Amino acid sequence: VQLQASGGGVVQAGGSLRLSCVASGRTFRQYDMAWFLQAPGKEREYVANIRGRDSRVYYADSVKGRFTMSRDNAKNTVYLQMSSLKPEDTAVYYCAAHTGGRTITSTMRNPSVYENWGQGTQVTVSS
């Protein structure tokens, strides 16, 4: 599975951006998808995930109420709508796909669960 993320850029604090991630594969609707971020010098950090079987979405506390993750199975695409951006949101954002079958929901925040990763897209929020 190949993933292509896009939509990053430079935005002022309080602004918005929408990230997109297009996936290859004929069974995209079955994939569990996620977004992670990685700031310079820090470990990769969970942002949100969306389940394949029912499109239920989960969020990190740090982005709840500000970010919205969604998917369009007809386009093999997931989105991350980011609003009320803060300077601390500055990072490279990665989309990831778990294609290995049903997984316990509580594990979906762990990057090691995801077998496939996109190249990342830079988001910079200026103060």
Side-chain angles (χ1 to χ4, degrees):
V1 175
Q2 293 185 329
L3 303 174
Q4 181 70 42
S6 62
V10 180
V11 63
Q12 288 189 332
S16 299
L17 280 175
R18 188 177 81 156
L19 306 184
S20 301
C21 176
V22 181
S24 64
R26 298 180 180 179
T27 56
F28 172 78
R29 63 178 62 251
Q30 298 176 15
Y31 301 165
D32 295 317
M33 302 294 295
W35 288 97
F36 289 80
L37 64 82
Q38 189 164 19
K42 296 189 177 181
E43 293 186 351
R44 198 159 292 190
E45 179 180 325
Y46 167 81
V47 176
N49 72 281
I50 186 167
R51 297 196 310 200
R53 62 183 181 270
D54 58 9
S55 294
R56 185 166 178 175
V57 185
Y58 300 85
Y59 298 96
D61 288 344
S62 59
V63 306
K64 203 172 293 183
R66 299 189 299 122
F67 291 8
T68 302
M69 184 174 185
S70 61
R71 68 191 299 156
D72 184 339
N73 290 333
K75 296 182 178 180
N76 277 25
T77 301
V78 292
Y79 303 97
L80 186 68
Q81 177 67 48
M82 306 186 294
S83 302
S84 302
L85 283 162
K86 306 174 181 180
E88 51 264 44
D89 296 320
T90 295
V92 177
Y93 284 71
Y94 297 90
C95 63
H98 169 66
T99 61
R102 195 158 179 164
T103 303
I104 298 172
T105 299
S106 61
T107 67
M108 300 309 292
R109 299 181 177 225
N110 187 337
S112 66
V113 168
Y114 298 87
E115 305 93 346
N116 307 280
W117 291 83
Q119 84 288 2
T121 184
Q122 175 71 47
V123 171
T124 302
V125 184
S126 61
S127 58

